Amino acid sequence: MSSELEALLDAEAEHAEQHRDEPAKPGTKVSKPGHARSTVFSVRLNSDEVAALQTLADESGLPPSTLVRSWILDGLENGGTPVGLRLRHLIREAVRDELQAGEDSFKTRLRAEIREALLSDVEVDQHRGASSG
């Protein structure tokens, strides 16, 4: 590459870095090769939902539309179920299984204690019967 071209590219890169947060000039076409989007979906959100979306977008450093698109694509890639929803479902199942296991363990201990109490009552009754007779 010629030194003149290299200098021009360096100057353009420096200018772009210094002005990266400025809006694009009118007539500027921004495109992502291979990522052409041809259909637009309109979604109605109330003001609280828009504010929450904007907060999440700001925190993630993405425009809101990009964030929403990523959620949609994530859901499509995962059989129509977004990862967050799948995780909540898996966590719910795991907690239910743990509670069930705990409940089964509790029932087993309770049965053992009841059996032990009944047996000791029988022994006490037998002891009382033997001593009164």
Side-chain angles (χ1 to χ4, degrees), residues 11-22:
E12 284 297 319
E14 182 61 33
H15 181 269
E17 279 298 313
Q18 290 176 357
H19 302 284
R20 69 177 177 208
D21 294 327
E22 293 179 11

Side-chain angles (χ1 to χ4, degrees), residues 46-132:
N46 65 37
S47 59
D48 291 340
E49 293 164 337
V50 171
L53 175 60
Q54 187 63 57
T55 299
L56 289 172
D58 291 344
E59 289 172 359
S60 67
L62 297 170
S65 60
T66 302
L67 184 59
V68 170
R69 184 182 308 111
S70 73
W71 293 339
I72 292 169
L73 294 175
D74 176 56
L76 292 173
E77 289 173 8
N78 292 290
T81 306
V83 171
L85 186 60
R86 284 192 7 252
L87 285 175
R88 282 195 298 274
H89 180 71
L90 290 172
I91 290 169
R92 192 176 304 121
E93 282 182 352
V95 168
R96 185 188 63 232
D97 291 348
E98 281 296 315
L99 289 173
Q100 182 66 42
E103 184 178 311
D104 290 346
S105 174
F106 173 75
K107 287 178 182 176
T108 301
R109 285 195 323 267
L110 184 60
R111 282 188 198 111
E113 289 178 20
I114 291 171
R115 187 176 318 115
E116 185 178 318
L118 290 172
L119 289 175
S120 61
D121 282 349
V122 168
E123 289 173 4
V124 167
D125 288 345
Q126 288 174 349
H127 181 66
R128 283 187 191 153
S131 51
S132 64

